[in-house]
Amino acid sequence: DQQVKQNSPSLSVQEGRISILNCDYTNSMFDYFLWYKKYPAEGPTFLISISSIKDKNEDGRFTVFLNKSAKHLSLHIVPSQPGDSAVYFCAAAGAGNMLTFGGGTRLMVKP
Amino acid sequence: GAGVSQSPSNKVTEKGKDVELRCDPISGHTALYWYRQSLGQGLEFLIYFQGNSAPDKSGLPSDRFSAERTGGSVSTLTIQRTQQEDSAVYLCASSPNPAGSSYEQYFGPGTRLTVT
């Protein structure tokens, strides 16, 4: 039973355009959400996070939106750059210090 | 400062053999996690150590898997009698804070295990 789902395994975007990566969750006890970025042969690196008391968090080109009623979050990257090409994982945390990860979305930004 | 390190970076082993994977967390981090990523899959939680507390082993897939954390620092994940389905990238992460903080975890580069 996947509690965190990323339904799009891959996404292709033109350089300069917006990339939108989506994530859905089922556990209403999750109260903190994170996005990680992973390049091949490297570990995931933290990108941006959001607490459930907020609906938006912005950091430069990256913005995360949270819709609690829909149990949905999204990561917007604008403008997209070729160096953004990577696998993006969303993760959720609830009680305790555990993270539950989605399956990842491979983003390809074409020059 | 130094990040999370893992060794070896790659390990090829024959089915039925035991393997040990090592993780050196960031100095001072009290929490340490093991995950694995099978081909085309997301990160699957395996085990979590927090300070001197008993580890959370709820993610270990079978009793062939075990992990230790010595002195609150270095951790070793052991897989006994390896099977082909154990082939995956094993990732270690550490975190400076206990529950209630930012939940951010810092990952190592992983060990790619191939069981032939």
Side-chain angles (χ1 to χ4, degrees):
Chain A
D1 178 29
Q2 274 191 294
Q3 297 188 65
V4 179
K5 290 185 181 180
Q6 294 176 254
N7 290 318
S8 298
S10 65
L11 174 68
S12 182
V13 170
Q14 202 68 35
E15 179 180 7
R17 306 295 285 267
I18 185 171
S19 296
I20 301 176
L21 297 98
N22 294 303
C23 179
D24 296 290
Y25 62 96
T26 57
N27 190 339
S28 57
M29 298 302 292
F30 289 144
D31 59 6
Y32 202 88
F33 305 89
L34 305 89
W35 283 94
Y36 279 81
K37 175 180 179 179
K38 186 181 185 300
Y39 292 119
E42 296 182 10
T45 55
F46 170 75
L47 193 57
I48 193 169
S49 62
I50 188 167
S51 165
S52 61
I53 62 173
K54 295 185 176 180
D55 55 17
K56 176 183 175 181
N57 189 27
E58 191 172 352
D59 184 2
R61 296 185 297 115
F62 303 91
T63 303
V64 55
F65 295 92
L66 175 63
N67 182 335
K68 283 184 64 179
S69 60
K71 294 190 177 67
H72 176 85
L73 65 155
S74 61
L75 174 68
H76 292 210
I77 308 173
V78 56
S80 301
Q81 300 173 354
D84 296 330
S85 297
V87 177
Y88 289 77
F89 292 97
C90 70
N97 206 24
M98 313 307 300
L99 291 181
T100 302
F101 284 84
T105 296
R106 181 176 301 278
L107 173 66
M108 293 162 282
V109 180
K110 299 178 181 178
Chain B
V4 177
S5 61
Q6 292 185 245
S7 61
S9 55
N10 280 284
K11 176 72 175 179
V12 180
T13 190
E14 292 180 354
K15 178 181 171 182
K17 295 286 179 71
D18 298 351
V19 295
E20 283 190 354
L21 312 179
R22 177 186 169 107
C23 172
D24 283 88
I26 294 172
S27 177
H29 280 194
T30 59
L32 186 148
Y33 312 79
W34 282 98
Y35 296 87
R36 73 175 175 183
Q37 184 182 17
S38 301
L39 188 63
Q41 302 297 312
L43 277 71
E44 175 190 4
F45 164 74
L46 297 176
I47 188 169
Y48 159 51
F49 296 89
Q50 174 58 56
N52 296 321
S53 303
D56 180 341
K57 303 179 182 180
S58 59
L60 295 179
S62 79
D63 58 7
R64 297 186 295 105
F65 288 72
S66 63
E68 290 185 340
R69 189 178 184 194
T70 54
S73 180
V74 171
S75 178
T76 303
L77 177 69
T78 302
I79 309 173
Q80 296 178 312
R81 305 180 303 282
T82 52
Q83 304 294 313
Q84 288 185 331
E85 60 262 29
D86 299 335
S87 296
V89 175
Y90 288 80
L91 291 158
C92 175
S94 69
S95 176
N97 294 310
S101 64
S102 69
Y103 299 99
E104 183 179 339
Q105 297 176 13
Y106 299 80
F107 283 83
T111 294
R112 180 176 296 279
L113 175 66
T114 304
V115 181
T116 62

